[in-house]
Amino acid sequence: AALLPRPARGLTDRLYCGRRVCYEVLGVSRQASKAEIARAYRQLARQYHPDRYRGEPAGGEGGGAQAAHEKFLLIAAAYETLKDEETRKDYDYMLDHPEEYYRHYYHYYSRRLAPKVDVTIVILVTVCAISVFQFFSWWSSYNEAINYLASVPKYRIQATEIARQQGLLNKTKEKGKNRRSKEEIREEEEEIIKDIIKNKIDIKGGYQKPKIYDILLFQILLAPFYWCKYVVWYCWWIYCFTIKGQEYGAEEKLYIIRRYMKMSQSQFDSLEDHQKETFLERQLWIRENYEVYKQEQEEELKKKMAMDPRWKRYRRWMKNEGPGRLTFIDD
């Protein structure tokens, strides 16, 4: 008798079928198949379902119906436990190992509270939604930049001259039914000017022309490729400039300067060519030269701020009045 399994010792009211064994509730053995479990559940459900129960009241009015309702809930809990392979495996393990109390609690509530939808699908849909919003937001910013440049006289005059040279604005006027209004002609000329600005001017930074490979979805998909590319490039850098001691080229020098300035690639590309030539002339890829250049820029900025009339007025206001200064002026 001591060697016989004692599963009831690990049963609790808050797990699975409570103090009852789920197999006993359905009247099946532990070796029962899915079909046998489903058949036993259907038979008991038809007998104890509240809508179909026709038993006599026990112990007073409504007592029999209430007992049948509780019995049906227990049958449903037993079926929910045994119909799923993973849940049934956890339940069988609990019957065989009742001493692992906290482990049974964890598996029971982790399955009950787990999301019904696959987390992978949720993440994929979220990334796709963010990517779509990101792409259209970039296009909106790009179109705003083009509209602004089309209103700047410098770029508008240049684009107009190019359009005239290409014969895009020198079309003969239509006659008869094909004749268009001045408003339609003006809108067409505006679109021609904007197209020329798009093709002739390379906008950089946050208003540059969006590329589909820059959105979040493609960045995640291409992340392994970028990591491998970076590892290969880093090994090449160490081999060429650390081990072999080769001299830096123009691109390598600009890369080091950009790292010193803590600028992104798009920010550094937006700089004028003469600025980059100045960086190379002053040999800013050398740390000491860059520190001197940085200090000079800070001093120049301080001089500009000292000579700025608005900055002078602000300092005068801070000195004489300033926030929180007490005065006896009524107004």
Side-chain angles (χ1 to χ4, degrees):
L3 296 176
L4 293 176
R6 290 175 293 175
R9 191 179 67 179
L11 300 178
T12 179
D13 294 331
R14 288 172 288 181
L15 298 182
Y16 303 108
C17 297
R19 296 289 179 176
R20 299 286 301 278
V21 179
C22 294
Y23 293 102
E24 296 178 357
V25 172
L26 296 180
V28 296
S29 65
R30 289 186 61 173
Q31 291 75 30
S33 62
K34 277 188 174 183
E36 292 175 348
I37 293 173
R39 184 165 54 251
Y41 167 72
R42 286 194 295 269
Q43 292 176 357
L44 293 173
R46 283 195 295 267
Q47 181 179 354
Y48 290 99
H49 195 280
D51 296 337
R52 305 187 63 177
Y53 182 72
R54 295 294 181 267
E56 294 296 332
E61 186 177 355
Q66 181 65 26
H69 179 69
E70 295 177 357
K71 179 70 173 179
F72 176 77
L73 294 179
L74 183 61
I75 293 170
Y79 178 67
E80 290 294 327
T81 301
L82 301 180
K83 74 174 183 178
D84 183 67
E85 289 292 339
E86 297 297 328
T87 308
R88 183 178 180 181
K89 187 184 299 183
D90 292 341
Y91 183 70
D92 290 341
Y93 186 86
M94 186 190 75
L95 295 179
D96 297 333
H97 303 83
E99 70 280 357
E100 300 181 16
Y101 184 76
Y102 296 103
R103 183 182 186 276
H104 306 324
Y105 250 85
Y106 169 75
H107 282 282
Y108 176 77
Y109 284 104
S110 63
R111 294 191 183 280
R112 289 200 63 180
L113 301 178
K116 301 302 181 182
V117 183
D118 190 2
V119 178
T120 306
I121 299 177
V122 176
I123 295 175
L124 181 60
V125 172
T126 304
V127 170
C128 292
I130 294 174
S131 301
V132 171
F133 174 78
Q134 187 181 32
F135 187 71
F136 283 102
S137 177
W138 281 353
W139 266 112
S140 178
S141 300
Y142 178 71
N143 290 329
E144 288 180 3
I146 294 298
N147 294 332
Y148 170 75
L149 293 176
S151 63
V152 177
K154 174 184 175 181
Y155 299 106
R156 188 175 186 86
I157 292 173
Q158 294 179 1
T160 303
E161 290 297 329
I162 294 174
R164 288 175 178 171
Q165 292 175 4
Q166 296 178 356
L168 300 176
L169 300 180
N170 298 327
K171 297 180 180 180
T172 57
K173 297 182 179 180
E174 296 86 350
K175 296 181 179 180
K177 296 182 179 180
N178 296 328
R179 186 176 180 180
R180 294 176 299 172
S181 62
K182 293 182 179 180
E183 187 66 26
E184 293 176 347
I185 296 174
R186 191 179 300 109
E187 290 179 358
E188 183 181 0
E189 292 178 352
E190 191 71 20
E191 291 298 326
I192 292 173
I193 292 173
K194 290 181 180 179
D195 290 338
I196 293 175
I197 292 176
K198 290 180 182 178
N199 297 326
K200 297 297 181 181
I201 299 178
D202 184 18
I203 303 176
K204 300 176 182 179
Y207 295 93
Q208 62 184 356
K209 190 174 183 179
K211 299 178 181 178
I212 194 170
Y213 294 104
D214 293 334
I215 64 177
L216 179 62
L217 178 61
F218 282 93
Q219 289 292 314
I220 294 175
L221 295 177
L222 297 176
F225 169 75
Y226 290 143
W227 275 107
C228 295
K229 185 178 178 181
Y230 174 76
V231 170
V232 172
W233 172 85
Y234 186 76
C235 294
W236 169 82
W237 183 281
I238 296 296
Y239 174 75
C240 292
F241 303 113
T242 304
I243 298 176
K244 297 184 66 175
Q246 296 181 2
E247 294 185 359
Y248 296 125
E251 294 183 2
E252 288 77 19
K253 294 175 181 178
L254 291 175
Y255 169 76
I256 297 174
I257 295 170
R258 180 174 68 82
R259 292 293 300 272
Y260 285 161
M261 293 183 173
K262 299 179 181 180
M263 300 175 65
S264 64
Q265 186 65 49
S266 59
Q267 290 174 334
F268 193 78
D269 292 340
S270 62
L271 298 177
E272 300 292 338
D273 293 336
H274 67 86
Q275 291 178 292
K276 299 178 181 179
E277 293 176 359
T278 304
F279 298 159
L280 296 175
E281 291 174 359
R282 300 196 57 175
Q283 299 182 356
L284 297 186
W285 66 90
I286 302 175
R287 189 71 185 187
E288 293 77 10
N289 297 342
Y290 174 74
E291 293 296 336
V292 174
Y293 172 80
K294 182 180 178 181
Q295 188 174 1
E296 291 177 357
Q297 293 296 314
E298 292 176 355
E299 293 294 334
E300 185 177 352
L301 180 60
K302 290 180 181 179
K303 291 180 181 178
K304 288 183 178 179
M305 293 179 66
M307 299 301 295
D308 191 354
R310 292 176 297 180
W311 181 247
K312 288 183 179 180
R313 289 196 299 267
Y314 174 74
R315 288 187 300 172
R316 192 183 306 117
W317 177 78
M318 289 293 293
K319 180 180 179 181
N320 297 331
E321 300 179 10
R325 186 179 177 89
L326 296 176
T327 63
F328 293 96
I329 303 176
D330 294 334
D331 56 359

